[in-house]
Amino acid sequence: ITCTAAIDACEKGGQWARALALFSEMTDSDVDLDTIIYNAALRACVGSGEWTWALGLLAQMSASHIDLDTSTYNTAVVACGKSGKWTQV
C-alpha cells in the first residue's frame, strides 16, 4: 500500500517522471508487484503522455502473470489515447 501511495502522490503532484522512477526502483527491489502497483504506474503514464511505457507495463504484467483488470485496460487506453495511439492497446 505504501508503494502505491508514493506513486499516486507523485502522479497527483504532477511528478510523473518521479512516479515512474519509483516504480522502476520497485521492480529492481524485493517489492511484490501486483495489479494495484502497476495500475498506479499506468496512471502516471496518463499524465506524462508516455504511451510506450503504458504498453510496456501491460506486457510486463502479462509476462509476470499479474492480473490485468478493467482499470488496467481503461488506464492504458487513456494513456495511449492522449497521444493519439489508442489503437495500440
Side-chain angles (χ1 to χ4, degrees):
I1 294 174
T2 303
C3 297
T4 304
I7 292 172
D8 281 338
C10 290
E11 182 266 324
K12 288 177 183 168
Q15 299 294 317
W16 58 266
R18 183 66 187 135
L20 295 176
L22 279 172
F23 178 81
S24 291
E25 291 172 22
M26 289 174 203
T27 62
D28 295 335
S29 69
D30 290 334
V31 174
D32 288 327
L33 300 176
D34 60 14
T35 304
I36 295 169
I37 293 173
Y38 271 94
N39 285 350
L42 280 165
R43 286 190 295 275
C45 292
V46 170
S48 69
E50 292 288 339
W51 66 274
T52 55
W53 254 84
L55 294 181
L57 290 172
L58 290 179
Q60 285 178 21
M61 290 176 78
S62 182
S64 300
H65 305 289
I66 295 173
D67 292 332
L68 289 83
D69 61 14
T70 303
S71 179
T72 305
Y73 286 113
N74 286 343
T75 307
V77 167
V78 171
C80 291
K82 287 196 170 223
S83 298
K85 305 290 185 184
W86 64 271
T87 59
Q88 301 295 318
V89 177

